Amino acid sequence: MANRRATMHDVARLSGVSTATVSRVINQNGRFSPETEQRVRQVIRQLDFVPNQAAKDLRTRRSRLVGILVSRLSYEYVNSLVTKLEELLFEQGFIGIVCNISENYENEQTYLDAMFSMNICALIVFSSGRPIARPEGRSIPVIYINRMPEDLNDKLCCAIATDSVSAGYKACAALIEAGCRRVAIVRTLYGPDRRPRDREIGFMKALLESGCAYDEGLSVAVPVAGDYASAFASVNERLDQGQAADGYFCESDVYALSTIRSLEVHGLRVPEDVKVVGCNDMSIALYNNRAITTIRHQTEAICLKAIENMKRMLSGDELEQRHTVFDVELVRRQTL
Amino acid sequence: MANRRATMHDVARLSGVSTATVSRVINQNGRFSPETEQRVRQVIRQLDFVPNQAAKDLRTRRSRLVGILVSRLSYEYVNSLVTKLEELLFEQGFIGIVCNISENYENEQTYLDAMFSMNICALIVFSSGRPIARPEGRSIPVIYINRMPEDLNDKLCCAIATDSVSAGYKACAALIEAGCRRVAIVRTLYGPDRRPRDREIGFMKALLESGCAYDEGLSVAVPVAGDYASAFASVNERLDQGQAADGYFCESDVYALSTIRSLEVHGLRVPEDVKVVGCNDMSIALYNNRAITTIRHQTEAICLKAIENMKRMLSGDELEQRHTVFDVELVRRQTL
DNA sequence: TTGAAAGCGCTACCAG
DNA sequence: CTGGTAGCGCTTTCAA
C-alpha cells in the first residue's frame, strides 16, 4: 500500500551525501557543513522522512521502554501519579508501559517477565503495598516509589517516597491549631501485622507535641480499605455510641466524605462543630458542599525525580542519594 | 556491566543448530524435530535468553506501538477505558502509548507528530469532543472511539461508539417505569452550536413514547462541565424557585451527586420523594449513603472491538463493519 | 568535513 | 527437517 516509507538511504541519495552524514545531521553530532545540513534537512522535509526507531534501537543497543509496575491503578492517587509519569516519560522520548497487578501479588512475577520480554530499559515499581523480592536477572535500573527495595545498596536501584509521617503530622497539627482538642483518626483497620502505619505515627506525634491526649475510643478503624460504605458504617457506629471527636484526620478523602456524612446524620455541622481533614487530594474532595481540606502529594516532583534518577543510572552515573523523600502540603479548603 | 545478554547465535551454538532453527522454534514456525525443539528450549532457559525485539521489529518491519490519543484523561470514564485498552493491548503483545491532550486541541497535531516519530503501527483516537482532521501522511489504521472520522469510507479507519441515545432513553424510561411523571434532565449547558446531545435526545424519546410531557422549566443546565459545585448551584437555583421534578436523569454521576445533595437540602428524600439516575458508572456513584443508580458502558467490549478491528486492518483484512455501536446498561442501585 | 563499510540480532528465502 | 545467507535501517569507527 502506497510507496514504502523513506529511509536514510533515500535522503542520502537525494541530497547527494552519504548516510553517515545524514545520520550526523539528524543526531546533531557535528562534523558537517552548514550547507550540507541545509540540503539534508530540506530533503528530509520533502520526503517526510521519519527515522526507523527499531533500527536505531538495534544499532545503539538501547530501548526506550520503561516498565511501570503498579499495585492498583484504580486508586486515584496512584492513577494520577502513573499518568503524570507516562506523560513526562513521553516528553523525554521514553515510552512508559504500565502493568497493573490489581493487588494480585502472586502474578507479579508473571507481569515482570512479560515486561522483561518486551526489553524494558528500566523499571519503576509503584506500590503502597507489601515489599517484594527484587526481580533477579537483568541488571536494569529499578526505581521504587513508596516502597522499599530489598537492598538499597544495589547501585542500580533507588527509592523515592512521599512523607506519610508528615501527612499525618500536618493534618493533625492543623486540626489542633484550628482549635480541636479531641482529635481522632479514621484509618484502615490494621493488617495482620497489626502495626500502625506512617500516617498514624505522624498523627500521634503531633498530638504528643501539642500536649493533647489521644483518646483511642474516638478513632475509627475501617474494615474494608478505601470503601465509602464501610467507613460510613464504622464512623456511624462510633457516633451512635455517643463518642464524638471535635476533629478528624481521615486517611483518605473517601473516608473524609463518609465521616462528614455521618456527622451530618448525627446533627453535627462541619466545620462549625467538627473539623475534618482528608488525605490524597482526590477529586471527590470537591464533591461536597464544603470542599474538603486535604493533604496533597508532590506528584510531579516525585515523577521528575524518578525519571532523573532513571536517566542517571542508565548512563552509569552515581546517584546523589539512594533514598529521596518528598514532603506533603496541606490544602486548606472548607472543612477546617 | 555483567556479561552481555545472550543472542540467538549463542543459543544456536550451544544447542548445535543454526540460528534459523532457533528462530523457527521460538516462533513456532514448524520445520523442526521434537528433539531439536527440546534441546533449543533447554539452552534458551539455561542462558535466560530473551529475543531482542528491536531486531525482530526491524527485520519484520513491524512495530508493536499503538498510539492512544485522548481528549482528557481525568474523566473517570475515559480513564478506565484507556486503562482497559492498555491492559488488553499488553496482553496481546502490543504496547499502548497514551497521549493526553487535556483538551488543548491546538496541540493535537504536535502530539500526533510525536507519536508518529515513535513509529506507532496504529492509532486509537478517543474523544467525546469535537471532530478533528484525519492525520495525513502515513497510512496506518486509525480507530475512532466515540468520535466520527472525517471519512468513514477510508479502508484504514473505523468508528466504535457507545450508544448515548440509548443511555438517555434507558435512564428516562426507568424513571417513568418507577412511577415518575415529571422527569427532568440535568445536563451540561449547550456549547456554541446550541445542539442537544445524544443523551438528551434519548431522554426526550422516552418521554415522548410514554406520553409524558416535557416541562423544560424542570430541567437544569450546568455551566461548568463536570463540576460538582456548578451543578449543585444550578439545581439549587431551580429548586429554590419551587420547581421540582419527581425524577432526574443526570448526565454524569457527579451531577447526580450534586442533585441528590441539593434535594436533601430542600427536604426532599431520595428515592422516596424523588428518584435519580446518574450516568457513566463512576466510583463516586458509591460515595453516597444511597448508592446511585447509573448507566454503565460496555467498556471491555468496546476495547476488545477496537483491538480486533486494529488487528484486522493491520493484516489487511476487510472489516465486518466500519461503524460499531455498543448499547449501555442500567445499573439499579438505591436512588431509583 | 565527508564517505565506506562493518555490523546490531533477527527472520525468511532458498537450497539441500 | 535443517542450514546458509541476505538483508531490515541505522550508527560509528576509520580513513580520506
Side-chain angles (χ1 to χ4, degrees):
Chain A
M1 173 157 311
N3 26 4
R4 69 165 184 50
R5 269 176 50 181
T7 74
M8 257 180 48
H9 271 97
D10 302 322
V11 177
R13 197 161 22 78
L14 260 83
S15 42
V17 297
S18 72
T19 59
T21 303
V22 176
S23 173
R24 289 193 205 102
V25 169
I26 288 173
N27 298 302
Q28 288 294 297
N29 276 341
R31 265 163 282 248
F32 49 80
S33 68
E35 303 81 55
T36 307
E37 174 165 17
Q38 274 288 324
R39 209 141 20 89
V40 171
R41 289 208 179 291
Q42 153 93 36
V43 174
I44 285 177
R45 224 172 308 113
Q46 181 187 319
L47 292 184
D48 206 12
F49 167 72
V50 178
N52 180 321
Q53 278 292 348
K56 181 169 190 154
D57 287 351
L58 174 58
R59 177 61 230 227
T60 57
R61 299 146 168 269
R62 289 193 297 91
S63 153
R64 300 156 300 137
L65 255 41
V66 178
I68 304 177
L69 191 71
V70 181
S71 60
R72 181 172 278 285
L73 202 47
S74 56
Y75 290 145
E76 189 174 328
Y77 162 54
V78 178
N79 196 303
S80 55
L81 205 338
V82 169
T83 299
K84 179 53 89 180
L85 208 45
E86 279 192 277
E87 181 189 321
L88 293 173
L89 283 170
F90 182 80
E91 280 174 10
Q92 310 202 26
F94 290 95
I95 295 170
I97 139 176
V98 3
C99 207
N100 175 22
I101 62 177
S102 303
E103 286 182 354
N104 298 130
Y105 293 99
E106 61 281 15
N107 291 338
E108 196 160 56
Q109 196 55 51
T110 313
Y111 283 119
L112 281 172
D113 290 344
M115 292 208 286
F116 279 125
S117 79
M118 291 189 160
N119 286 304
I120 54 175
C121 66
L123 179 64
I124 299 178
V125 179
F126 187 9
S127 156
S128 48
R130 67 200 81 172
I132 50 149
R134 163 107 202 269
E136 68 19 85
R138 340 227 172 303
S139 46
I140 61 172
V142 182
I143 295 96
Y144 292 83
I145 299 184
N146 286 6
R147 177 202 273 197
M148 280 309 266
E150 300 275 271
D151 173 20
L152 243 190
N153 287 321
D154 188 327
K155 292 288 177 208
L156 278 174
C157 91
C158 71
I160 299 170
T162 224
D163 191 340
S164 294
V165 174
S166 175
Y169 182 88
K170 287 195 172 175
C172 185
L175 287 164
I176 293 169
E177 194 195 308
C180 300
R181 285 297 164 266
R182 304 167 61 239
V183 189
I185 182 172
V186 180
R187 57 160 179 82
T188 303
L189 192 65
Y190 294 151
D193 58 354
R194 314 203 80 264
R195 265 217 332 254
R197 284 177 217 86
D198 289 346
R199 283 198 269 253
E200 187 171 11
I201 292 170
F203 172 82
M204 303 284 221
K205 187 160 154 250
L207 233 36
L208 264 175
E209 283 186 13
S210 69
C212 278
Y214 176 49
D215 180 353
E216 187 139 8
L218 297 174
S219 288
V220 180
V222 179
V224 187
D227 186 71
Y228 175 89
S230 176
F232 181 80
S234 306
V235 178
N236 240 7
E237 191 187 353
R238 198 49 46 94
L239 258 30
D240 286 343
Q241 296 164 355
Q243 308 248 40
D246 58 2
Y248 286 89
F249 165 51
C250 302
E251 250 187 7
S252 95
D253 288 336
V254 175
Y255 293 174
L257 205 55
S258 303
T259 302
I260 291 170
R261 292 274 161 281
S262 180
L263 289 165
E264 282 174 2
V265 169
H266 287 81
L268 267 8
R269 292 164 308 159
V270 178
E272 293 82 354
D273 305 323
V274 181
K275 304 196 190 312
V276 175
V277 175
C279 195
N280 290 351
D281 192 25
M282 297 167 66
S283 54
I284 56 157
L286 300 173
Y287 299 164
N288 190 52
N289 293 351
R290 302 289 180 98
I292 300 174
T293 294
T294 189
I295 295 287
R296 178 183 294 158
H297 305 281
Q298 294 194 46
T299 308
E300 181 150 4
I302 290 173
C303 293
L304 284 170
K305 178 52 105 180
I307 296 176
E308 181 198 322
N309 281 1
M310 181 189 83
K311 290 167 93 171
R312 277 243 167 75
M313 295 193 281
L314 239 25
S315 51
D317 295 349
E318 200 61 36
L319 254 37
E320 284 170 17
Q321 39 182 338
R322 283 256 112 69
H323 186 29
T324 316
V325 175
F326 285 90
D327 201 0
V328 298
E329 170 195 9
L330 182 77
V331 185
R332 288 181 189 276
R333 294 206 269 244
Q334 301 165 18
T335 59
L336 182 69
Chain B
M1 175 156 311
N3 26 5
R4 69 167 185 45
R5 270 176 48 183
T7 75
M8 257 180 49
H9 272 97
D10 302 322
V11 177
R13 199 159 23 77
L14 259 83
S15 43
V17 296
S18 72
T19 58
T21 302
V22 176
S23 174
R24 287 191 209 105
V25 169
I26 288 173
N27 299 301
Q28 287 296 297
N29 276 341
R31 265 164 284 249
F32 50 79
S33 68
E35 303 81 57
T36 306
E37 173 166 18
Q38 273 290 323
R39 209 142 20 89
V40 171
R41 291 209 177 288
Q42 153 93 36
V43 174
I44 285 178
R45 225 171 309 113
Q46 181 188 321
L47 293 184
D48 207 12
F49 166 73
V50 178
N52 181 322
Q53 279 291 348
K56 182 170 189 152
D57 287 351
L58 174 58
R59 177 61 230 230
T60 57
R61 299 147 165 270
R62 290 194 295 92
S63 152
R64 300 156 300 137
L65 256 40
V66 178
I68 304 176
L69 192 70
V70 181
S71 60
R72 181 173 276 285
L73 201 47
S74 57
Y75 290 145
E76 190 174 329
Y77 162 54
V78 178
N79 196 305
S80 56
L81 206 338
V82 170
T83 299
K84 179 53 88 179
L85 208 45
E86 279 192 276
E87 183 188 321
L88 293 173
L89 282 169
F90 183 79
E91 280 174 10
Q92 308 202 26
F94 291 95
I95 294 170
I97 139 176
V98 2
C99 208
N100 175 21
I101 62 177
S102 303
E103 285 181 356
N104 299 129
Y105 293 98
E106 62 280 17
N107 291 339
E108 197 161 57
Q109 197 55 51
T110 313
Y111 283 120
L112 281 172
D113 290 344
M115 291 208 287
F116 279 125
S117 80
M118 291 191 161
N119 286 304
I120 53 174
C121 67
L123 180 64
I124 299 178
V125 179
F126 187 8
S127 158
S128 47
R130 67 199 82 172
I132 49 150
R134 163 107 203 267
E136 66 21 82
R138 341 224 171 304
S139 47
I140 60 172
V142 183
I143 295 97
Y144 293 83
I145 299 185
N146 286 6
R147 177 202 274 197
M148 280 308 265
E150 301 275 272
D151 173 20
L152 242 190
N153 288 322
D154 188 329
K155 292 287 178 211
L156 278 174
C157 90
C158 73
I160 299 169
T162 223
D163 192 339
S164 294
V165 174
S166 175
Y169 182 87
K170 288 195 172 177
C172 185
L175 286 163
I176 294 168
E177 194 196 309
C180 301
R181 284 298 164 266
R182 306 168 59 239
V183 189
I185 182 171
V186 180
R187 55 158 180 84
T188 303
L189 192 65
Y190 293 152
D193 58 353
R194 313 203 81 262
R195 265 216 334 252
R197 285 179 215 87
D198 288 345
R199 282 198 270 253
E200 187 170 12
I201 292 170
F203 172 82
M204 304 283 222
K205 186 160 155 252
L207 234 35
L208 264 175
E209 283 188 12
S210 69
C212 278
Y214 176 48
D215 180 354
E216 187 139 8
L218 296 174
S219 288
V220 180
V222 179
V224 187
D227 187 70
Y228 175 88
S230 176
F232 181 79
S234 306
V235 177
N236 241 6
E237 190 187 351
R238 199 47 47 96
L239 256 31
D240 286 343
Q241 296 164 355
Q243 308 248 41
D246 58 2
Y248 287 90
F249 166 52
C250 303
E251 250 187 9
S252 95
D253 288 335
V254 175
Y255 293 174
L257 206 54
S258 303
T259 302
I260 291 170
R261 293 272 163 283
S262 180
L263 289 166
E264 282 174 1
V265 169
H266 287 81
L268 266 7
R269 290 164 310 158
V270 178
E272 293 82 355
D273 305 324
V274 181
K275 305 196 190 311
V276 174
V277 176
C279 195
N280 289 352
D281 193 26
M282 297 167 65
S283 54
I284 57 157
L286 300 174
Y287 299 165
N288 190 51
N289 293 351
R290 302 289 179 98
I292 300 174
T293 294
T294 188
I295 295 287
R296 178 183 296 158
H297 306 280
Q298 293 194 48
T299 308
E300 181 149 4
I302 291 174
C303 294
L304 284 169
K305 179 51 104 178
I307 296 175
E308 181 197 321
N309 282 1
M310 181 189 82
K311 290 167 92 171
R312 277 243 167 74
M313 295 193 280
L314 239 25
S315 52
D317 293 350
E318 201 61 37
L319 254 37
E320 284 169 17
Q321 39 181 337
R322 283 254 111 70
H323 187 30
T324 316
V325 176
F326 286 90
D327 201 359
V328 298
E329 170 195 9
L330 181 78
V331 185
R332 290 182 186 274
R333 294 209 267 244
Q334 301 164 20
T335 59
L336 182 69

